[in-house]
Amino acid sequence: MKFIFSYLAAVNFADGAVTYWGLQFSMIEESNPIMSGLYDINPLLFLGYKLFLSCIFYGLVLKKKLPTNRFIKALSITASVVYTIVIGLHGVWLFPLII
């Protein structure tokens, strides 16, 4: 679980940073209505929320307060897979614009 939560913290923040960058330059659109709403209120609120969630994940790792529940483990693994796919999609969308 330590690796999974550390990974989730890293990809969550990476997703936030890349999404923020893509939104700022109108290269992508946020499809999550909650995150889109936060971005519409204030782009830094969007980024701050992502940072806050990542800090919570890292805090759980550092405090060794990781949940051991099977449901939470399955949910964490699923979220890791989904975030990996999302980061890959960001790369596909943004890579041509970078080079």
Side-chain angles (χ1 to χ4, degrees), residues 2 12 21 31 34 40 58 67 69 71-72 74 79 86 90 97 99:
K2 182 178 179 179
N12 176 61
W21 185 67
S31 56
I34 295 169
D40 290 343
Y58 275 132
N69 180 311
F71 176 74
I72 298 297
V86 168
H90 283 319
L97 300 169
I99 57 171

Side-chain angles (χ1 to χ4, degrees), residues 18-19 21-22 27-28 89-99:
V18 172
T19 300
W21 185 67
M27 292 185 246
I28 61 174
L89 286 172
H90 283 319
V92 168
W93 295 330
L94 298 175
F95 184 73
L97 300 169
I98 297 170
I99 57 171

Side-chain angles (χ1 to χ4, degrees), residues 15-31:
D15 171 59
V18 172
T19 300
Y20 175 82
W21 185 67
L23 290 169
Q24 283 292 102
F25 293 101
S26 301
M27 292 185 246
I28 61 174
E29 292 181 20
E30 177 59 64
S31 56

Side-chain angles (χ1 to χ4, degrees), residues 50-75:
K50 287 294 213 173
L51 178 61
F52 176 72
L53 287 177
S54 291
C55 288
I56 288 174
F57 287 133
Y58 275 132
L60 290 171
V61 170
L62 293 174
K63 290 281 190 178
K64 299 179 182 176
K65 298 283 186 183
L66 299 171
T68 56
N69 180 311
R70 282 182 155 190
F71 176 74
I72 298 297
K73 186 173 183 176
L75 188 63

Side-chain angles (χ1 to χ4, degrees), residues 12-13 16 32 34-35 38-39 42-57 83:
N12 176 61
F13 187 72
N32 179 336
I34 295 169
M35 296 309 292
L38 286 176
Y39 186 84
N42 186 328
L44 292 178
L45 179 62
F46 168 89
L47 201 54
Y49 182 72
K50 287 294 213 173
L51 178 61
F52 176 72
L53 287 177
S54 291
C55 288
I56 288 174
F57 287 133
Y83 263 124

